[in-house]
Amino acid sequence: MKNSKFIGKACGIAAIASLAAIAALTAHAQAPGAKSIAVEHAPAFPAFNQWVTSYVTVQPEAPVAHIEMVPFTLIGGGTEQAFQPQAVIVGLPDLPLIGEGALHMGRNWGPHLNYQGVHMALEVISANGNRRELRPMGSPVRAGERFKVRMTATFDAVAQVDQVVGDIWYGSRTGQVYPQAGMSVQMRAGETVRMPLGANEFFVMNRAANERLVMAVRHARAVGEARSDQPAYRQDGRNGSDYLQLVPRGKFPSVEQLVANAR
């Protein structure tokens, strides 16, 4: 990848997968002759909130004298595909966070845990460039508003923005609009990236009411059958949104969020 800064299955499947993971861990812990292993459990979102508090800091930003607007424009055209969104459930998962260290998530969140998470926020700048407002991802964006998207993941990830057009039931995914096709924004676990990447660059929504955007954050290996097909659970706060996805063994996390024009 170039540049170092450049909704899914039913909930029951998630429950089965996590229960299977618990059973496997418990069986391993109780196997004859094996050393005793304490399988730690913790409420998933409180643990993730603790991690986010440790990694995601919002520093005061200097005013922007000259705003460079980055419109969402397909470069070289795109191939339309029927849009099938990955499942996002606004709510809490039924099952706990499981794995070694699950009770102590202040600084570390490794691949051994059954959930992986992403924090995202809309950062909207005022017309004069002097004030910035953080919003949760479920908030619509008004046509003409200038904004960035802040992203922080518990895993090494790649991110991109795709375009969706058409009505709410029969949308088409027309292609990638940021960064340019063939590239993605790379981010390390715990690193906050703000897209677009330029300090003075901000996205601007086009005025077409039927245009939507897909903010996609995934592990580089979350492709095809290797991508976790479990829903992402979302919790909205005043300054952003938190996502947790169950990731079965042998799969990799992938979270998508649709952003729509305000009407």
Side-chain angles (χ1 to χ4, degrees):
M1 296 292 177
K2 202 172 180 180
N3 280 307
S4 60
K5 298 287 185 187
F6 254 65
I7 171 202
K9 298 289 184 182
C11 298
I13 298 178
I16 292 171
S18 275
L19 290 172
I22 294 173
L25 287 169
T26 303
H28 180 67
Q30 297 176 349
K35 293 184 179 180
S36 176
I37 298 175
V39 180
E40 296 183 347
H41 303 69
F45 264 108
F48 185 56
N49 291 339
Q50 184 181 358
W51 184 89
V52 168
T53 299
S54 298
Y55 277 93
V56 181
T57 58
V58 180
Q59 301 293 340
E61 297 283 351
V64 178
H66 175 67
I67 297 174
E68 299 175 21
M69 292 185 289
V70 179
F72 293 101
T73 304
L74 285 172
I75 301 174
T79 301
E80 290 193 11
Q81 300 178 7
F83 177 54
Q84 296 181 326
Q86 292 182 219
V88 174
I89 299 172
V90 181
L92 299 171
D94 295 328
L95 296 163
L97 181 71
I98 302 168
E100 183 181 353
L103 295 174
H104 311 283
M105 294 313 306
R107 295 296 300 174
N108 300 307
W109 194 290
H112 53 280
L113 295 171
N114 60 330
Y115 287 101
Q116 294 297 320
V118 178
H119 175 83
M120 282 194 272
L122 296 170
E123 179 184 311
V124 183
I125 194 167
S126 61
N128 60 10
N130 291 332
R131 183 175 58 85
R132 305 191 194 212
E133 175 191 3
L134 291 178
R135 301 177 189 170
M137 295 300 295
S139 301
V141 179
R142 291 183 289 274
E145 282 191 315
R146 283 73 60 86
F147 67 99
K148 289 181 179 285
V149 181
R150 297 171 56 96
M151 300 179 173
T152 313
T154 59
F155 52 93
D156 292 348
V158 294
Q160 67 186 58
V161 183
D162 289 356
Q163 180 188 62
V164 174
V165 298
D167 64 44
I168 191 169
W169 301 113
Y170 300 102
S172 296
R173 197 169 193 149
T174 57
Q176 183 175 323
V177 292
Y178 188 87
Q180 66 188 63
M183 293 184 170
S184 60
V185 176
Q186 293 182 318
M187 47 199 288
R188 305 292 294 177
E191 176 187 19
T192 296
V193 166
R194 297 159 70 235
M195 299 196 303
L197 301 175
N200 295 341
E201 293 179 341
F202 291 83
F203 293 135
V204 58
M205 288 289 278
N206 294 328
R207 297 188 178 277
N210 66 345
E211 180 190 57
R212 287 154 288 160
L213 305 169
V214 180
M215 306 296 169
V217 183
R218 62 176 178 84
H219 190 283
R221 296 175 63 184
V223 178
E225 294 297 320
R227 184 184 74 181
S228 175
D229 57 3
Q230 300 300 305
Y233 292 88
R234 190 183 88 203
Q235 290 283 286
D236 294 330
R238 187 178 67 177
N239 294 326
S241 299
D242 294 331
Y243 301 79
L244 282 176
Q245 183 184 42
L246 185 76
V247 182
R249 187 183 299 275
K251 304 287 186 178
F252 297 91
S254 177
V255 174
E256 292 186 349
Q257 174 63 55
L258 200 64
V259 178
N261 260 330
R263 297 190 181 186

PDB file of all heavy atoms in Angstrom, residues 118-133:
ATOM      1  N   VAL A 118     -13.330  -0.434  16.384  1.00  0.00           N
ATOM      2  CA  VAL A 118     -12.969   0.769  15.642  1.00  0.00           C
ATOM      3  C   VAL A 118     -13.702   1.947  16.273  1.00  0.00           C
ATOM      4  O   VAL A 118     -14.891   1.836  16.607  1.00  0.00           O
ATOM      5  CB  VAL A 118     -13.362   0.676  14.149  1.00  0.00           C
ATOM      6  CG1 VAL A 118     -13.007   1.976  13.423  1.00  0.00           C
ATOM      7  CG2 VAL A 118     -12.668  -0.512  13.478  1.00  0.00           C
ATOM      8  N   HIS A 119     -13.006   3.041  16.463  1.00  0.00           N
ATOM      9  CA  HIS A 119     -13.634   4.301  16.869  1.00  0.00           C
ATOM     10  C   HIS A 119     -13.631   5.227  15.665  1.00  0.00           C
ATOM     11  O   HIS A 119     -12.594   5.400  15.015  1.00  0.00           O
ATOM     12  CB  HIS A 119     -12.875   4.952  18.026  1.00  0.00           C
ATOM     13  CG  HIS A 119     -13.401   6.312  18.402  1.00  0.00           C
ATOM     14  ND1 HIS A 119     -14.486   6.485  19.225  1.00  0.00           N
ATOM     15  CD2 HIS A 119     -12.986   7.567  18.046  1.00  0.00           C
ATOM     16  CE1 HIS A 119     -14.728   7.782  19.372  1.00  0.00           C
ATOM     17  NE2 HIS A 119     -13.835   8.453  18.659  1.00  0.00           N
ATOM     18  N   MET A 120     -14.803   5.816  15.328  1.00  0.00           N
ATOM     19  CA  MET A 120     -14.896   6.744  14.205  1.00  0.00           C
ATOM     20  C   MET A 120     -15.682   7.977  14.628  1.00  0.00           C
ATOM     21  O   MET A 120     -16.596   7.886  15.461  1.00  0.00           O
ATOM     22  CB  MET A 120     -15.578   6.099  12.995  1.00  0.00           C
ATOM     23  CG  MET A 120     -14.709   5.167  12.189  1.00  0.00           C
ATOM     24  SD  MET A 120     -15.437   4.772  10.570  1.00  0.00           S
ATOM     25  CE  MET A 120     -16.442   3.353  10.985  1.00  0.00           C
ATOM     26  N   ALA A 121     -15.337   9.112  14.047  1.00  0.00           N
ATOM     27  CA  ALA A 121     -16.054  10.351  14.327  1.00  0.00           C
ATOM     28  C   ALA A 121     -16.024  11.251  13.104  1.00  0.00           C
ATOM     29  O   ALA A 121     -15.051  11.259  12.339  1.00  0.00           O
ATOM     30  CB  ALA A 121     -15.438  11.074  15.524  1.00  0.00           C
ATOM     31  N   LEU A 122     -17.100  12.017  12.925  1.00  0.00           N
ATOM     32  CA  LEU A 122     -17.129  13.072  11.921  1.00  0.00           C
ATOM     33  C   LEU A 122     -16.588  14.352  12.556  1.00  0.00           C
ATOM     34  O   LEU A 122     -17.040  14.759  13.626  1.00  0.00           O
ATOM     35  CB  LEU A 122     -18.556  13.313  11.430  1.00  0.00           C
ATOM     36  CG  LEU A 122     -19.246  12.166  10.684  1.00  0.00           C
ATOM     37  CD1 LEU A 122     -20.737  12.485  10.500  1.00  0.00           C
ATOM     38  CD2 LEU A 122     -18.594  11.910   9.343  1.00  0.00           C
ATOM     39  N   GLU A 123     -15.606  14.960  11.931  1.00  0.00           N
ATOM     40  CA  GLU A 123     -15.034  16.216  12.406  1.00  0.00           C
ATOM     41  C   GLU A 123     -15.441  17.303  11.409  1.00  0.00           C
ATOM     42  O   GLU A 123     -14.895  17.389  10.304  1.00  0.00           O
ATOM     43  CB  GLU A 123     -13.514  16.103  12.493  1.00  0.00           C
ATOM     44  CG  GLU A 123     -12.821  17.364  12.962  1.00  0.00           C
ATOM     45  CD  GLU A 123     -11.305  17.211  12.944  1.00  0.00           C
ATOM     46  OE1 GLU A 123     -10.791  16.196  13.479  1.00  0.00           O
ATOM     47  OE2 GLU A 123     -10.646  18.083  12.369  1.00  0.00           O
ATOM     48  N   VAL A 124     -16.423  18.118  11.783  1.00  0.00           N
ATOM     49  CA  VAL A 124     -16.994  19.116  10.875  1.00  0.00           C
ATOM     50  C   VAL A 124     -16.418  20.489  11.207  1.00  0.00           C
ATOM     51  O   VAL A 124     -16.409  20.901  12.374  1.00  0.00           O
ATOM     52  CB  VAL A 124     -18.534  19.142  10.983  1.00  0.00           C
ATOM     53  CG1 VAL A 124     -19.124  20.126   9.982  1.00  0.00           C
ATOM     54  CG2 VAL A 124     -19.111  17.740  10.762  1.00  0.00           C
ATOM     55  N   ILE A 125     -15.932  21.183  10.202  1.00  0.00           N
ATOM     56  CA  ILE A 125     -15.330  22.493  10.415  1.00  0.00           C
ATOM     57  C   ILE A 125     -16.309  23.593  10.016  1.00  0.00           C
ATOM     58  O   ILE A 125     -17.101  23.432   9.083  1.00  0.00           O
ATOM     59  CB  ILE A 125     -14.005  22.631   9.624  1.00  0.00           C
ATOM     60  CG1 ILE A 125     -13.215  23.848  10.112  1.00  0.00           C
ATOM     61  CG2 ILE A 125     -14.264  22.705   8.122  1.00  0.00           C
ATOM     62  CD1 ILE A 125     -11.782  23.868   9.613  1.00  0.00           C
ATOM     63  N   SER A 126     -16.287  24.691  10.761  1.00  0.00           N
ATOM     64  CA  SER A 126     -17.184  25.815  10.471  1.00  0.00           C
ATOM     65  C   SER A 126     -16.772  26.488   9.170  1.00  0.00           C
ATOM     66  O   SER A 126     -15.648  26.317   8.677  1.00  0.00           O
ATOM     67  CB  SER A 126     -17.161  26.821  11.621  1.00  0.00           C
ATOM     68  OG  SER A 126     -15.857  27.345  11.806  1.00  0.00           O
ATOM     69  N   ALA A 127     -17.690  27.294   8.622  1.00  0.00           N
ATOM     70  CA  ALA A 127     -17.437  27.934   7.330  1.00  0.00           C
ATOM     71  C   ALA A 127     -16.205  28.829   7.363  1.00  0.00           C
ATOM     72  O   ALA A 127     -15.493  28.948   6.359  1.00  0.00           O
ATOM     73  CB  ALA A 127     -18.671  28.733   6.904  1.00  0.00           C
ATOM     74  N   ASN A 128     -15.929  29.476   8.521  1.00  0.00           N
ATOM     75  CA  ASN A 128     -14.758  30.356   8.598  1.00  0.00           C
ATOM     76  C   ASN A 128     -13.485  29.627   9.015  1.00  0.00           C
ATOM     77  O   ASN A 128     -12.421  30.235   9.119  1.00  0.00           O
ATOM     78  CB  ASN A 128     -15.024  31.524   9.549  1.00  0.00           C
ATOM     79  CG  ASN A 128     -15.334  31.067  10.978  1.00  0.00           C
ATOM     80  OD1 ASN A 128     -15.181  29.891  11.317  1.00  0.00           O
ATOM     81  ND2 ASN A 128     -15.792  32.005  11.800  1.00  0.00           N
ATOM     82  N   GLY A 129     -13.570  28.324   9.256  1.00  0.00           N
ATOM     83  CA  GLY A 129     -12.388  27.543   9.601  1.00  0.00           C
ATOM     84  C   GLY A 129     -11.933  27.672  11.031  1.00  0.00           C
ATOM     85  O   GLY A 129     -10.879  27.138  11.404  1.00  0.00           O
ATOM     86  N   ASN A 130     -12.713  28.344  11.897  1.00  0.00           N
ATOM     87  CA  ASN A 130     -12.261  28.603  13.272  1.00  0.00           C
ATOM     88  C   ASN A 130     -12.740  27.575  14.289  1.00  0.00           C
ATOM     89  O   ASN A 130     -12.190  27.492  15.389  1.00  0.00           O
ATOM     90  CB  ASN A 130     -12.725  29.998  13.727  1.00  0.00           C
ATOM     91  CG  ASN A 130     -12.009  31.110  12.991  1.00  0.00           C
ATOM     92  OD1 ASN A 130     -10.870  30.938  12.548  1.00  0.00           O
ATOM     93  ND2 ASN A 130     -12.676  32.253  12.849  1.00  0.00           N
ATOM     94  N   ARG A 131     -13.765  26.810  13.971  1.00  0.00           N
ATOM     95  CA  ARG A 131     -14.340  25.909  14.966  1.00  0.00           C
ATOM     96  C   ARG A 131     -14.571  24.526  14.370  1.00  0.00           C
ATOM     97  O   ARG A 131     -14.969  24.400  13.211  1.00  0.00           O
ATOM     98  CB  ARG A 131     -15.675  26.490  15.468  1.00  0.00           C
ATOM     99  CG  ARG A 131     -16.345  25.684  16.572  1.00  0.00           C
ATOM    100  CD  ARG A 131     -17.591  26.406  17.067  1.00  0.00           C
ATOM    101  NE  ARG A 131     -18.540  26.627  15.981  1.00  0.00           N
ATOM    102  CZ  ARG A 131     -19.450  25.721  15.591  1.00  0.00           C
ATOM    103  NH1 ARG A 131     -19.490  24.531  16.179  1.00  0.00           N
ATOM    104  NH2 ARG A 131     -20.284  25.997  14.607  1.00  0.00           N
ATOM    105  N   ARG A 132     -14.304  23.499  15.162  1.00  0.00           N
ATOM    106  CA  ARG A 132     -14.533  22.116  14.726  1.00  0.00           C
ATOM    107  C   ARG A 132     -15.499  21.437  15.681  1.00  0.00           C
ATOM    108  O   ARG A 132     -15.444  21.639  16.877  1.00  0.00           O
ATOM    109  CB  ARG A 132     -13.223  21.339  14.669  1.00  0.00           C
ATOM    110  CG  ARG A 132     -12.182  22.014  13.794  1.00  0.00           C
ATOM    111  CD  ARG A 132     -11.003  21.122  13.537  1.00  0.00           C
ATOM    112  NE  ARG A 132      -9.880  21.880  12.991  1.00  0.00           N
ATOM    113  CZ  ARG A 132      -8.999  21.398  12.141  1.00  0.00           C
ATOM    114  NH1 ARG A 132      -9.111  20.157  11.717  1.00  0.00           N
ATOM    115  NH2 ARG A 132      -8.005  22.141  11.701  1.00  0.00           N
ATOM    116  N   GLU A 133     -16.374  20.614  15.119  1.00  0.00           N
ATOM    117  CA  GLU A 133     -17.373  19.892  15.898  1.00  0.00           C
ATOM    118  C   GLU A 133     -17.240  18.403  15.621  1.00  0.00           C
ATOM    119  O   GLU A 133     -17.189  17.978  14.467  1.00  0.00           O
ATOM    120  CB  GLU A 133     -18.771  20.373  15.510  1.00  0.00           C
ATOM    121  CG  GLU A 133     -19.898  19.594  16.171  1.00  0.00           C
ATOM    122  CD  GLU A 133     -21.257  19.909  15.562  1.00  0.00           C
ATOM    123  OE1 GLU A 133     -21.320  20.689  14.579  1.00  0.00           O
ATOM    124  OE2 GLU A 133     -22.257  19.339  16.051  1.00  0.00           O
TER     125      GLU A 133
END
